[in-house]
């Protein structure tokens, strides 16, 4: 198989034939939204083995039922294809959210939560997740504050954006971080310092963050697998049947070590979703990126787990002034942020990956990053042979108007975390301060990409967020439809309001849109004959209720590959 052909099959394999005459399961008496334009609605579905064998009226489905067929009376409930998460971090989410929950209103509340947790857990390092920049201001938190409640033990706490950390003096000491310690990527991934050059305890971006984690509480495959397994039932309860793992922490320098754990779970029958995983490039050098991807792909290739994408961490986040902008930050006019790559490195990396037949998935919070990625896509398309490319740019907090229209032209996919699209305090305060008018009123514009003829996909990016961290697609879909915080029907609507998604567009983006991104659209993402039986049942028809109540719908059953993985 050629490299290009390998890439097209990166995260998919042909669906199995239906096989047996009688269906294994028949779903009847329901409202079935197929996500297929050819037949949007149906009454019944038959599943034979792991494959959908019939979609249509009830009589046709029941004609396939035999003595051993399980017949599920939906009693009018809604059946959908399983959710495909186009960008999520299962391992990182399980790890980061396993300590102190710092999704609290103020910095004082965060410190109180840390103190209480330390009292309940009197030994070992303390870690946590969820503090926000608005708790401390643009200069970030300091170790002095932490030292008052955690003086004798190392403590390190991840921000809700997943790109920065708050560490106490003991943690800095254990990691050997002092005024003489060089920054991993100066100006991009670094230790914030005071006027004397001493680190303040605020640590920015992945390379610097991992330097502390690995010194204090090294990530091990065993501990990460244990944490992941505790989350898997929650994923099934949320209706997730496929994920794009947008990057795992390495064990040593091996990103494949954790990805391989998915295959271990599959062999034990314990993996409840399909996985398309990625090889992450965070900084130069990257000459071996394709070889590393191919190596991990060779080691980890199963029915449910594949590795077929190079993830490029193209910049940071606006909260830490590390997102790469075109015009300077409104509240820091001497800075446009940055990227770990030069323009030429961008072009070289994407050209080489594209030439090898693989797709790239670019982390781009800043508009300069999005533009540079699009420029690099365009150059790669011109330089390399034609093929079925599905290059993707994720996050897209703000995109300049000329660039939104380029997605359709280049066949690029706009990957959004719809749960970021609310007029929450972080967006209205921090993001508005970073961008200023008019940019602050032009964020998160999926409709512009759709109008260009481009495609979008949804994925929560769990655990990362600006204000509201969630792994539940229904919550993300609701925010994408309302552009308001969940649970607050009267909350402000994020401008521009006309960028709200319809419910059908949001569901499509979280099913077929994400499946297309992963080259899995022939296999999953819709309820069609010949596709794998990845199906979910909701107790509420989300197309008919008030959009503010979408998140209240309960997933009562999740089937993946013809097996029921969740049921209440």
């Amino acid at each position: 198989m050629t490299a290009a052909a390998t890439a097209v099959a990166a995260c998919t394999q042909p669906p199995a034939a239906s096989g047996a005459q009688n269906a294994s399961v028949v779903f009847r008496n329901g409202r079935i939204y197929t996500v297929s334009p050819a037949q949007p609605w149906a009454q019944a579905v038959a599943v034979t083995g792991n494959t959908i064998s019939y979609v249509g009226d009830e009589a046709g489905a029941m004609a396939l039922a035999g003595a051993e067929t399980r017949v599920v009376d939906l009693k009018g409930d809604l059946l959908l294809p399983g959710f495909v998460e186009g960008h999520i971090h299962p391992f990182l989410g399980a790890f980061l959210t396993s300590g102190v929950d710092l999704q609290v209103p103020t910095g004082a509340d965060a410190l109180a939560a840390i103190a209480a947790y330390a009292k309940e857990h009197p030994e070992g390092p303390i870690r946590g997740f969820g503090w926000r920049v608005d708790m401390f201001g643009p200069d970030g938190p300091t170790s002095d504050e932490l030292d008052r409640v955690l003086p004798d033990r190392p403590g390190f706490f991840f921000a809700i954006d997943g790109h920065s950390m708050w560490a106490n003096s003991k943690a800095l000491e254990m990691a050997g971080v002092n005024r003489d310690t060089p920054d991993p990527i100066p100006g991009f991934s670094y230790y914030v310092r005071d006027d004397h050059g001493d680190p303040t305890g605020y640590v920015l971006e992945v390379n610097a963050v991992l330097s502390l984690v690995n010194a204090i509480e090294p990530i091990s495959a065993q501990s990460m697998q244990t944490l992941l397994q505790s989350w898997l039932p929650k994923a099934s309860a949320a209706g997730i049947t496929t994920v794009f793992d947008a990057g795992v922490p390495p064990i040593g320098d091996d990103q494949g070590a954790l990805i391989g754990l998915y295959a271990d779970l599959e062999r034990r029958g314990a993996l409840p979703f399909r996985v398309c995983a990625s090889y992450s490039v965070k900084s130069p050098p990257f000459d071996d990126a394709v070889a590393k991807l191919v190596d991990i792909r060779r080691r980890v290739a199963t029915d449910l787990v594949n590795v077929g994408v190079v993830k490029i961490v193209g910049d940071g986040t606006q909260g830490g002034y590390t997102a790469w902008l075109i015009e300077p930050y409104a509240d820091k006019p001497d800075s446009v942020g940055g990227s770990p790559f030069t323009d030429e490195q961008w072009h070289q990396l994407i050209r080489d990956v594209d030439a090898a037949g693989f797709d790239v998935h670019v982390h781009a919070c800043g508009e300069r990053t999005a533009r540079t990625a699009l420029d690099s896509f365009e150059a790669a398309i011109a330089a390399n042979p034609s093929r079925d490319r599905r290059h993707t740019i994720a996050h897209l907090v703000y995109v300049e108007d000329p660039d939104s229209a380029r997605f359709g032209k280049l066949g690029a996919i706009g990957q959004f975390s719809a749960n970021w699209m609310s007029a929450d305090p972080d967006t209205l305060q921090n993001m508005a301060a970073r961008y200023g008018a008019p940019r602050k009123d032009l964020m998160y514009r999926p409709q512009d990409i759709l109008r260009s003829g481009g495609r979008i996909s949804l994925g929560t990016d769990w655990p990362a967020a600006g204000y509201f961290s969630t792994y539940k697609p229904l919550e993300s879909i609701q925010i994408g439809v309302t552009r308001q915080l969940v649970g607050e029907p009267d909350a402000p609507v994020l401008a521009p309001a006309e960028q709200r998604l319809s419910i059908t567009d949001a569901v499509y983006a979280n099913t077929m849109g994400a499946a297309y991104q992963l080259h899995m659209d022939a296999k999953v993402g819709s309820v069609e004959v010949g596709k794998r039986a990845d199906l979910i049942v909701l107790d509420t028809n989300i197309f008919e209720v008030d959009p503010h109540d979408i998140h209240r719908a309960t997933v009562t059953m999740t089937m993946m590959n013809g097996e029921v993985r969740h049921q209440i």
Side-chain angles (χ1 to χ4, degrees):
M1 182 181 287
T2 67
T6 299
V8 170
C11 299
T12 184
Q13 295 176 11
S18 57
Q21 181 68 33
N22 290 336
S24 309
V25 183
V26 167
F27 295 92
R28 58 171 290 273
N29 189 28
R31 294 277 288 159
I32 295 162
Y33 185 65
T34 68
V35 193
S36 169
Q39 183 188 12
W41 292 95
Q43 295 176 332
V45 171
V47 172
T48 304
N50 65 359
T51 304
I52 297 169
S53 49
Y54 177 85
V55 181
D57 61 21
E58 188 164 312
M62 290 304 295
L64 298 176
E68 302 299 318
T69 301
R70 178 187 178 189
V71 178
V72 178
D73 184 353
L74 294 172
K75 300 179 181 178
D77 283 350
L78 178 68
L79 184 147
L80 297 171
F83 291 125
V84 181
E85 276 290 279
H87 186 117
I88 191 170
H89 301 272
F91 279 107
L92 280 169
F95 174 71
L96 266 59
T97 60
S98 61
V100 192
D101 184 359
L102 300 179
Q103 296 184 73
V104 294
T106 69
D109 293 325
L111 288 166
I114 292 167
Y117 189 92
K119 185 175 181 180
E120 294 169 4
H121 302 79
E123 297 181 359
I126 301 290
R127 56 184 164 84
F129 168 81
W131 62 269
R132 301 181 309 276
V133 174
D134 66 297
M135 295 176 176
F136 304 101
D139 293 331
T142 68
S143 56
D144 291 342
E145 298 163 302
L146 267 182
D147 292 344
R148 287 195 288 271
V149 299
L150 201 62
D152 301 320
R153 300 155 61 190
F156 58 100
F157 306 92
F158 300 93
I160 198 168
D161 65 8
H163 281 250
S164 49
M165 175 187 281
W166 178 21
N168 71 351
S169 295
K170 278 289 182 183
L172 295 171
E173 179 185 333
M174 281 189 67
V177 176
N178 54 49
R179 68 170 60 186
D180 299 319
T181 305
D183 292 325
I185 307 176
F188 180 73
S189 182
Y190 59 95
Y191 313 104
V192 175
R193 301 172 192 272
D194 61 21
D195 293 340
H196 304 291
D198 293 313
T200 66
Y202 186 24
V203 182
L204 289 167
E205 293 306 325
V206 177
N207 298 64
V209 165
L210 284 178
S211 71
L212 268 79
V213 174
N214 289 330
I216 300 163
E217 196 174 19
I219 294 170
S220 72
Q222 182 178 6
S223 64
M224 292 294 274
Q225 185 172 43
T226 299
L227 290 168
L228 177 69
Q229 285 181 270
S230 70
W231 179 72
L232 295 180
K234 298 177 184 178
S236 294
I240 297 170
T241 56
T242 299
V243 304
F244 172 62
D245 189 320
V248 299
I251 305 296
D253 62 354
D254 181 14
Q255 294 183 36
L258 289 188
I259 296 172
L261 295 180
Y262 285 125
D264 291 342
L265 288 165
E266 180 184 355
R267 282 189 284 272
R268 292 190 275 117
L271 185 65
F273 47 63
R274 307 172 194 284
V275 180
C276 178
S278 58
Y279 175 77
S280 294
V281 179
K282 304 178 183 69
S283 60
F286 50 74
D287 292 344
D288 61 349
V290 171
K292 287 284 184 66
L293 172 64
V294 171
D295 174 62
I296 297 172
R297 182 179 173 78
R298 175 187 56 78
R299 290 156 48 197
V300 183
T302 69
D303 180 52
L304 297 181
V305 185
N306 283 279
V307 185
V309 178
V310 171
K311 159 82 177 292
I312 301 173
V313 183
D315 66 355
T317 65
Q318 283 82 356
Y321 299 99
T322 51
W324 197 22
L325 311 190
I326 292 174
E327 299 295 332
Y329 285 91
D331 59 346
K332 194 175 182 181
D334 61 341
S335 175
V336 293
S339 169
F341 309 101
T342 66
D343 283 357
E344 178 50 40
Q345 288 171 335
W346 270 98
H347 284 273
Q348 179 189 340
L349 175 56
I350 290 176
R351 183 176 62 247
D352 290 352
V353 173
D354 182 83
F358 296 107
D359 290 340
V360 298
H361 186 104
V362 178
H363 165 107
C365 280
E367 64 274 13
R368 175 89 181 263
T369 314
R371 175 172 293 178
T372 303
L374 290 166
D375 291 344
S376 300
F377 294 172
E378 191 166 21
I381 290 169
N384 296 328
S386 177
R387 66 177 182 86
D388 183 10
R389 297 175 172 88
R390 302 190 186 182
H391 297 320
T392 300
I393 307 178
H395 309 318
L396 301 170
V397 176
Y398 169 70
V399 177
E400 288 279 9
D401 290 330
D403 293 322
S404 293
R406 299 173 68 193
F407 281 80
K409 176 184 175 183
L410 296 173
I413 297 156
Q415 201 292 312
F416 288 92
S417 304
N419 42 297
W420 297 11
M421 297 179 184
S422 65
D424 54 68
D426 177 72
T427 303
L428 295 182
Q429 296 169 22
N430 298 328
M431 297 295 286
R434 300 293 186 272
Y435 270 122
R439 295 179 296 181
K440 68 181 179 64
D441 296 317
L442 294 169
M443 293 187 289
Y444 303 116
R445 291 182 289 168
Q447 290 289 3
D448 285 3
I449 292 177
L450 290 174
R451 282 194 286 266
S452 81
R455 298 172 181 264
I456 66 169
S457 76
L458 294 185
T460 59
D461 197 22
W462 183 73
Y467 186 80
F468 178 66
S469 178
T470 183
Y471 57 81
K472 298 178 180 179
L474 285 171
E475 293 179 338
S476 182
I477 286 169
Q478 175 174 316
I479 295 176
V481 169
T482 65
R483 292 175 74 93
Q484 295 170 284
L485 271 175
V486 162
E488 300 183 26
D490 298 324
V493 175
L494 182 66
E498 65 269 18
Q499 294 293 322
R500 285 180 290 207
L501 296 168
S502 68
I503 297 175
T504 54
D505 280 346
V507 169
Y508 188 96
N510 226 145
T511 52
M512 275 296 285
Y516 177 87
Q517 170 195 318
L518 305 178
H519 290 276
M520 297 179 74
D521 50 313
K523 185 175 185 179
V524 299
S526 61
V527 184
E528 297 182 83
V529 172
K531 287 196 171 184
R532 294 294 170 89
D534 290 7
L535 308 168
I536 62 174
V537 179
L538 306 183
D539 68 354
T540 303
N541 188 335
I542 61 174
F543 298 96
E544 296 180 351
V545 300
D546 184 321
H548 297 98
D549 291 329
I550 290 172
H551 76 286
R552 300 184 190 279
T554 298
V555 179
T556 59
M557 178 187 289
T558 299
M559 172 181 281
M560 193 278 300
N561 224 25
E563 295 184 31
V564 175
R565 296 291 182 161
H566 161 78
Q567 186 168 13
I568 56 175

